[in-house]
Amino acid sequence: MIPRATSSVLRQARTQLQPRGPTPVASLSALARFLSSLAVLEQRDGKLNHGSLGAVTAAQRLGGSITGFVAGGNIKAVAEEAAKVSGIEKIIAVDNAAYDKGLPENFAPLLVENIQRGGFTHVIAGHTAFGKSLMPRVAALLDVQQISDITAIESENTFVRPIYAGNAIATIESSDEIKIITIRGTAFTAAEAEGGSASIEDGVDPKAETTTEWVVENLAKSDRPDLATAGRVVSGGRGLKSKEEFDRIMLPLADALGAAVGASRAAVDSGYADNSLQVGQTGKVVAPQLYLCAGISGAIQHLAGMKDSKVIAAINKDADAPIFQVADVGLVGDLFDKVPELTEKLKQ
Amino acid sequence: MSALRILVPVKRVIDYAVKPRVNKAQTAVETAGVKHSMNPFDELSIEESVRIREKKSYGPGVDTIIAFSCGPPKAQDVLRTAMAMGADRSIHVEIKDGEEVEPLSIAKLLKAVVEKEKIDLVMCGKQAIDGDEGQTGQMLAGLLGWGQATQASKVSFEGEKNVLVEKEVDGGTETVKSRLPMVITTDLRLNEPRYASLPNIMKAKKKKIDKMTASDLGVDLTKRLKTIKVIEPPPRKGGGKVEDVDGMIAKLKELGAL
């Protein structure tokens, strides 16, 4: 363990001393040498969550050295998986089952200790349930104002993020010494899971007490692609009228397209679809190649979750529905006729 | 443990149904003359606190519900709404019109109030629909060293100490058990907020709003983030309509989506 730690310390010293090749952005090149990012990676049951590798992509755009962070019980396999991710120089791993469920009460002090020991300038995590719950707590412990849900990086201290449900895009500059950042997954695709060869180092474990314990989880099981990262999404709204109809009309269409299933808040609140399928400001933000929706009027809260999709197609019987203002392809008609017809024709 | 003292932070934001417009100078979203109301997630927090009292779901009961807001003079309107829904009194940290306060500073103000008022449960909205940051509750829990449960869809109590919270997470729900004191942030499916009735609106006018400043609470509101510019997102132009399903398939193929 000691030789491993020593070699990685040397490695870190080297990366800080050696000037890097010319960087296209002039303002970044001088700083890149001093920049060091910590990408907080997620794991579940001993498997790396590849969705969380977007943090590595964001770190690559910043330049500078990249360290990955993983914690949990029997973390070795996850650390080895993470070590292969392209672009990462070092993995800090903390082996302790107390971190398996990502409870912020002990995970935040853990991260703070490792951030301070490693002297990182940027700490990046996904704007996922895990990141959203954990990172503000980390930021407060470090006395830093976090930057949430960024969609672009302009320089090492300037970032772009949507506000007002995506109705405005703000460019903001941080004066904090450590930048605590969460990223929007659809804006930073996951880094390559192969091609890297990072060293693995044990992190410090402050073993903070927590007054919170994990009790149970209830996750919707699905064989379909994951909503947040799917290439195609079909989504249904209030127009579906019932859960039975939602399942009868939308699921075959999803299968014909190999798409994930989403829903509007109205459909979720009426019990037609599970909460986890909600697309919008308060649900998932998606940006697939194709977003095909039926029976959705297009309220601004819904548009916030899907308007960055490459192609939007809409079927609605109301020709004046706001969804048609953003749809690349609109079809006015009764979804109970049109969607099954579309499904049949797509199958051929 | 004695009866609960609950703190509910509320924010005055542009009404959720209004489409925000960026100002001409591209420095912010236009707020003058635009309808404002209470952040929808904060309505859920007030509602949940009032229900804990009404349904006696916590054994020793609820001692007091204090609404808090940091905002311009007009933030009093949302505090009045909170009191009409059932909060007992309010604290207003007044700032100038147009001034913005970051979540970290709000969390520090709240920490001071929690300590001053001997609060044991803070009910926050999961995010404000203007900044969409989703930080304040977690930051406050961190500063206090308290347990936290974010995006709550169900809150129940077990004895005098334990709180069970069902949280909305990616892919479903997760339940955690934490001990009081703690911070909970509320999500949409937690409850359906009530409308304030006219008699209650009248009664709320008699309830007390304590005005104070950030320096009374010993908090520095200096911002760490500077807004360089605010722009409208690139508009999407609708591609027009097609006549039938065949037209839709043909157009999708043309666009490379199939």
Side-chain angles (χ1 to χ4, degrees), chain B residues 31-47:
Chain B
T31 54
V34 176
K35 186 186 175 198
H36 282 66
S37 46
M38 191 192 296
N39 178 41
F41 295 102
D42 303 342
E43 290 185 0
L44 299 157
S45 312
I46 292 280
E47 178 66 33

Side-chain angles (χ1 to χ4, degrees), chain A residues 280-328:
Chain A
Q281 183 184 19
T282 59
K284 288 260 166 38
V285 176
V286 301
Q289 288 294 324
L290 172 63
Y291 187 84
L292 205 169
C293 60
I296 290 181
S297 63
I300 54 175
Q301 292 81 10
H302 185 75
L303 299 183
M306 46 63 88
K307 66 185 167 53
D308 293 328
S309 305
K310 294 281 180 305
V311 174
I312 298 173
I315 299 176
N316 203 304
K317 66 179 176 195
D318 175 9
D320 297 323
I323 191 76
F324 288 124
Q325 291 163 20
V326 299
D328 301 287

Side-chain angles (χ1 to χ4, degrees), chain B residues 74-227:
Chain B
K74 280 196 176 150
Q76 284 198 16
D77 299 351
V78 297
L79 289 171
R80 291 282 170 210
T81 308
M83 292 189 292
M85 289 174 72
D88 300 302
R89 63 186 176 93
S90 296
I91 294 173
H92 180 201
V93 171
E94 196 174 311
I95 54 169
K96 284 200 287 287
D97 245 329
E99 192 182 345
E100 279 173 51
V101 183
E102 292 170 348
L104 183 63
S105 304
I106 299 282
K108 288 176 181 173
L109 290 171
L110 289 169
K111 176 174 186 275
V113 172
V114 161
E115 284 163 355
K116 190 161 168 267
E117 299 284 350
K118 302 189 171 40
I119 298 294
D120 20 53
L121 177 63
V122 181
M123 276 288 186
C124 275
K126 77 161 177 180
Q127 76 193 64
I129 59 165
D130 50 0
D132 284 335
E133 275 150 327
Q135 301 172 355
T136 308
Q138 298 88 307
M139 286 183 155
L140 174 62
L143 294 176
L144 289 164
W146 288 7
Q148 70 178 59
T150 47
Q151 299 188 229
S153 55
K154 198 173 171 195
V155 177
S156 56
F157 296 89
E158 220 183 59
E160 299 202 352
K161 271 283 177 196
N162 290 324
V163 190
L164 275 166
V165 183
E166 185 183 88
K167 307 166 50 184
E168 302 215 350
V169 295
D170 304 333
T173 61
E174 173 184 283
T175 303
V176 294
K177 184 153 102 179
S178 193
R179 246 174 295 156
L180 289 170
M182 75 176 298
V183 177
I184 296 174
T185 77
T186 59
D187 209 335
L188 282 173
R189 267 160 289 276
L190 181 60
N191 59 48
E192 187 125 349
R194 69 194 62 193
Y195 290 102
S197 67
L198 188 59
N200 284 341
I201 292 172
M202 299 312 286
K203 274 185 219 158
K205 289 189 174 160
K206 297 206 179 80
K207 293 182 179 175
K208 199 166 136 229
I209 299 183
D210 283 327
K211 268 206 212 174
M212 48 186 80
T213 63
S215 53
D216 292 340
L217 294 167
V219 176
D220 171 16
L221 301 183
T222 307
K223 291 177 69 177
R224 316 287 184 84
L225 304 181
K226 184 171 130 196
T227 302

